[in-house]
């Protein structure tokens, strides 16, 4: 019995603390609580809408005398896709995108062995025809000398009349041969000129000064001025743009086109450089409407140009009032994108960005200006607004700001 007795220091102490399983259960509960809190935080964050923003713009100040605004793109009135006038294989391409070229500068060359041989043959034919002319001219001079001697002999009675007539006929025949040789020389010269033109077609030159914006072919490719079957034949070598011909084409809603006149002052702002205001003026209102978009195209000239302006850039144009109108008080209200104004409970509302939340604010609208809404009351210039507010967004709702696309 003594051997079965447990010593006191070997006994499990139940009175000194909770059992081990209690500690394990506590740790598990803490982990589950943390996971639940993390999941709840992730779920709430996933419910926060991502929105884009834009600032309300003042109608006064710089450009504040704008009577209408419209968007469009920079276009080039003088641009060309340069191609060859004959089908051939490229042996040289002497430009890259971005290169500035002069009018008449050689841009590319085609394989020209056959055409060069034809040109050499045509030039040789011209020289042969000219040599025939000289030989026939000498024959004519001899025939004319013979005729003079026969005439002298005929006056002295020392020759027959028949011989004199034969000498005169020889002069006439040789003169006709000389004229024929001249016509043959003209034909040979024309053939040489044609051969020269065909040979010149192997050299592609810049039709005007400008900048290369696209390189469409490489050495070894076949180029043709006509569209060929398959994808192995190029129809162009490159595209050249005259940067001095850049202007802006904008689409103006046909409901407001009556406010735009030729030579009307304007101001252009490129999307890429929003702080650069470019003086401009209206060139012309194109007398044609787009039935699908209900817009009319307006051509606008830029009065300042530099290397920052390139074709196809997005641009916003403000059509300005005349000088007399500009001296008057600026029109009331601020301009905001139409997508920022929504209807909530029958009222026009915008959501102003305050920190990471959106504050709903009722506004009063005026007559729209182009694709912008005019807010007369309830908003100040410079305040950031939520674009396209989602239906679930409410006053004071959390938002996540994203960069505009």
């Amino acid at each position: 019995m003594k051997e079965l007795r447990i010593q006191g220091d070997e006994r499990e102490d139940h009175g000194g603390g909770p059992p081990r399983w209690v500690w394990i259960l506590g740790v598990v509960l803490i982990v589950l609580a943390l996971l639940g809190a993390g999941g709840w935080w992730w779920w709430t964050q996933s419910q926060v809408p991502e929105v884009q923003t834009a600032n309300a713009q003042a109608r006064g100040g710089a450009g504040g005398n704008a009577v209408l605004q419209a968007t469009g793109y920079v276009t080039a009135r003088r641009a060309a896709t340069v191609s060859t006038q004959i089908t051939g294989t490229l042996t040289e391409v002497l430009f890259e995108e971005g290169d500035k070229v002069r009018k008449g500068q050689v841009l590319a060359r085609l394989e020209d062995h056959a055409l060069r041989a034809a040109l050499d043959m045509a030039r040789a034919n011209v020289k042969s025809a000219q040599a025939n002319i000289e030989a026939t001219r000498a024959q004519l001079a001899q025939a004319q000398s013979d005729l003079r001697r026969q005439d002298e002999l005929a006056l002295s009675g020392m020759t027959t009349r028949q011989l004199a007539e034969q000498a005169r006929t020889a002069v006439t025949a040789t003169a006709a041969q000389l004229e024929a040789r001249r016509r043959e020389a003209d034909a040979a010269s024309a053939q040489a000129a044609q051969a020269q033109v065909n040979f010149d077609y192997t050299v592609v030159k810049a039709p005007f000064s400008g900048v290369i914006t696209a390189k469409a072919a490489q050495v070894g490719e076949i180029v043709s001025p006509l569209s060929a079957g398959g994808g192995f034949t190029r129809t162009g070598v490159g595209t050249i743009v005259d940067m001095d011909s850049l202007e802006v084409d904008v689409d103006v809603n046909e409901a407001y086109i009556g406010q735009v006149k030729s030579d009307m002052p304007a101001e252009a702002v490129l999307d890429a450089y929003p702080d650069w205001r470019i003086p401009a003026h209206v060139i012309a209102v194109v007398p044609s409407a787009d039935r699908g978009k209900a817009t009319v195209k307006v051509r606008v000239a830029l009065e300042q140009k530099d290397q920052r302006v390139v074709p196809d850039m997005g641009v916003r144009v403000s059509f300005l009032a005349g000088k007399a109108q500009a001296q008057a008080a600026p029109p009331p209200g601020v301009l905001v994108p139409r997508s920022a104004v929504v209807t909530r409970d029958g009222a026009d509302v915008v959501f102003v960005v305050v920190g990471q939340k959106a504050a709903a604010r009722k506004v009063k609208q005026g007559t729209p200006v182009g694709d912008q809404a005019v807010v007369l009351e309830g908003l100040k210039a410079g305040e950031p607004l939520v674009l396209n507010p989602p239906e679930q967004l409410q006053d004071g709702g959390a938002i996540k700001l994203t960069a505009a696309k």
Side-chain angles (χ1 to χ4, degrees):
M1 297 299 294
K2 184 176 180 180
E3 290 78 4
L4 297 177
R5 185 176 303 165
I6 301 174
Q7 299 298 325
D9 57 353
E10 297 178 354
R11 296 184 186 138
E12 184 178 358
D13 188 4
H14 291 285
R20 183 178 299 173
W21 66 268
V22 174
W23 288 102
I24 295 174
L25 179 60
V27 171
V28 171
L29 291 176
I30 292 173
V31 171
L32 292 176
L34 291 175
L35 291 175
W40 173 258
W41 180 86
W42 177 86
W43 183 84
T44 55
Q45 290 298 313
S46 65
Q47 301 303 307
V48 176
E50 295 184 354
V51 298
Q52 298 178 10
T53 64
N55 294 336
Q57 300 178 6
R59 301 183 71 186
N65 57 330
V67 297
L68 185 67
Q69 289 189 336
T71 57
Y73 296 93
V74 177
T75 60
R77 301 302 298 178
R78 199 179 187 194
T81 297
V82 183
S83 182
T84 59
Q85 298 191 56
I86 59 175
T87 301
T89 302
L90 282 173
T91 58
E92 288 184 278
V93 179
L94 306 174
F95 64 87
E96 295 293 340
E97 291 93 342
D99 287 352
K100 295 182 179 180
V101 296
R102 305 179 309 277
K103 180 179 180 180
Q105 180 176 333
V106 176
L107 302 180
R109 288 188 173 91
L110 298 178
E111 193 280 323
D112 59 4
H113 291 89
L115 294 175
R116 184 183 295 275
L119 177 59
D120 291 342
M121 180 180 293
R123 288 174 175 173
N125 290 338
V126 171
K127 292 181 179 179
S128 176
Q130 291 174 346
N132 290 335
I133 290 175
E134 294 302 322
T136 307
R137 184 179 288 117
Q139 294 174 2
L140 177 60
Q142 182 62 45
Q144 290 172 342
S145 296
D146 293 343
L147 177 59
R148 285 193 297 271
R149 284 194 296 270
Q150 290 296 328
D151 288 341
E152 292 174 357
L153 292 173
L155 290 176
S156 63
M158 298 178 62
T159 185
T160 64
R161 186 174 180 180
Q162 181 181 5
L163 292 176
E165 291 293 337
Q166 289 176 350
R168 187 170 287 105
T169 301
V171 170
T172 304
T174 307
Q177 290 178 2
L178 178 60
E179 185 64 23
R181 296 294 182 267
R182 288 171 175 167
R183 295 295 174 263
E184 290 174 357
D186 291 341
S189 297
Q191 291 176 352
Q194 182 179 7
Q196 182 67 59
V197 170
N198 291 336
F199 180 78
D200 290 342
Y201 285 161
T202 63
V203 180
V204 181
K205 297 182 179 180
F208 50 82
S209 299
V211 176
I212 300 295
T213 60
K215 182 179 181 180
Q218 301 290 342
V219 171
E221 291 187 304
I222 297 175
V223 182
S224 174
L226 303 176
S227 178
F232 305 103
T233 301
R234 302 292 186 181
T235 55
V237 177
T239 301
I240 181 172
V241 173
D242 182 1
M243 292 301 180
D244 291 333
S245 71
L246 294 181
E247 61 182 41
V248 176
D249 286 348
V250 295
D251 292 329
V252 177
N253 191 299
E254 62 183 18
Y256 309 108
I257 194 62
Q259 303 179 37
V260 181
K261 307 295 182 182
S262 296
D263 297 325
M264 184 178 185
E267 185 179 73
V269 177
L270 299 173
D271 293 346
Y273 305 99
D275 296 329
W276 182 26
R277 299 182 180 274
I278 308 174
H281 65 271
V282 176
I283 299 175
V285 178
V286 179
S288 178
D290 187 315
R291 182 184 301 178
K293 298 189 295 183
T295 58
V296 177
K297 181 182 293 185
V298 177
R299 295 174 52 201
V300 178
L302 299 175
E303 298 177 2
Q304 293 179 359
K305 299 175 184 177
D306 63 23
Q307 60 184 1
R308 290 177 291 178
V309 184
V310 297
D312 297 328
M313 269 188 166
V315 60
R316 178 181 299 278
V317 175
S318 299
F319 298 97
L320 307 180
K323 295 182 179 179
Q325 294 176 329
Q327 294 175 355
V334 295
L335 299 174
V336 301
R338 291 191 181 187
S339 61
V341 183
V342 294
T343 302
R344 294 288 191 272
D345 299 327
D348 292 334
V349 174
V350 297
F351 286 89
V352 180
V353 178
V354 181
Q356 296 296 319
K357 294 185 178 181
R361 190 179 299 175
K362 293 183 179 180
V363 296
K364 179 181 178 182
Q365 293 194 75
T367 303
V369 176
D371 59 351
Q372 299 250 13
V374 175
V375 175
L376 301 177
E377 297 178 1
L379 195 62
K380 296 180 180 179
E383 290 186 293
L385 308 175
V386 175
L387 299 178
N388 299 303
E391 290 290 339
Q392 68 271 21
L393 184 61
Q394 299 297 326
D395 184 23
I399 54 175
K400 186 183 299 182
L401 304 181
T402 60
K405 298 180 180 179

